[in-house]
Amino acid sequence: IFLIVFLLSLLMWDLSQEKTELVSERANMEMKAELAMMQLLLHTGNPGNWYVNGSYSSLGLMNTGLYQLDAVKLQGLVDANSSYVNTSAALGITGYQNFILVKNASGTLYSYGVRAPYTSDDVVLIERVAVLENRPVKVQLGVWK
């Protein structure tokens, strides 16, 4: 009986550790996604004209005011899809796959990155409303493993 109880307690300990690791990983993904979304919508990037030469230390899609998106920067992000690893690092979400969508009522205007497959269980999706050319748009950032 002692041996059975001991083995069951080891099994329960192992399951508890796995669950703790999964919860921690999910919380880390959520935090990185939130910070990346804030960076995109609240900053111009460094340098502010990062889309011109593709050299940057941080990305930002802001134009002149908070949540005011710059269409030229959005197109620059779409064009930078070939340097996916560099943009992930600049957003602070290395180690995860990610995608960014900018949509209006008619559909998707800009699309960047690798979309999560529908079978993926662990996807963090952050949505914010912003303004593009004086019209409201929805910005989605998805981070997944």
Side-chain angles (χ1 to χ4, degrees), residues 131-142:
V131 177
L132 176 63
E133 298 172 344
N134 296 321
R135 293 202 162 87
V137 292
K138 184 188 300 184
V139 181
Q140 292 181 338
L141 170 65

Side-chain angles (χ1 to χ4, degrees), residues 107-140:
T108 301
L109 301 173
Y110 298 94
S111 176
Y112 166 82
V114 180
R115 289 185 118 172
Y118 292 105
T119 58
S120 182
D121 291 336
D122 209 9
V123 178
V124 173
L125 184 64
I126 308 291
E127 293 184 348
R128 298 287 181 266
V129 175
V131 177
L132 176 63
E133 298 172 344
N134 296 321
R135 293 202 162 87
V137 292
K138 184 188 300 184
V139 181
Q140 292 181 338

Side-chain angles (χ1 to χ4, degrees), residues 22 30 33 37 40 72 93 114 121 145:
L22 289 173
E30 289 175 359
M37 181 64 90
L40 286 171
V72 175
I93 47 179
V114 180
D121 291 336
K145 190 163 179 116

Side-chain angles (χ1 to χ4, degrees), residues 33-136:
E34 285 286 349
L35 291 174
M37 181 64 90
M38 286 173 44
Q39 180 179 335
L40 286 171
L41 299 182
L42 302 177
H43 300 283
T44 59
N46 186 18
N49 64 343
W50 56 265
Y51 52 90
V52 174
N53 62 8
S55 177
Y56 47 83
S57 60
S58 70
L59 290 176
L61 301 176
M62 188 179 83
N63 188 3
T64 55
L66 298 178
Y67 296 96
Q68 299 283 328
L69 300 179
D70 187 334
V72 175
K73 289 182 180 184
L74 282 164
Q75 188 58 50
L77 182 66
V78 171
D79 295 343
N81 216 6
S82 60
S83 61
Y84 180 75
V85 173
N86 294 341
T87 55
S88 295
L91 290 172
I93 47 179
T94 55
Y96 301 108
Q97 302 290 328
N98 61 84
F99 62 92
I100 300 168
L101 300 175
V102 178
K103 301 176 175 182
N104 64 10
S106 302
T108 301
L109 301 173
Y110 298 94
S111 176
Y112 166 82
V114 180
R115 289 185 118 172
Y118 292 105
T119 58
S120 182
D121 291 336
D122 209 9
V123 178
V124 173
L125 184 64
I126 308 291
E127 293 184 348
R128 298 287 181 266
V129 175
V131 177
L132 176 63
E133 298 172 344
N134 296 321
R135 293 202 162 87

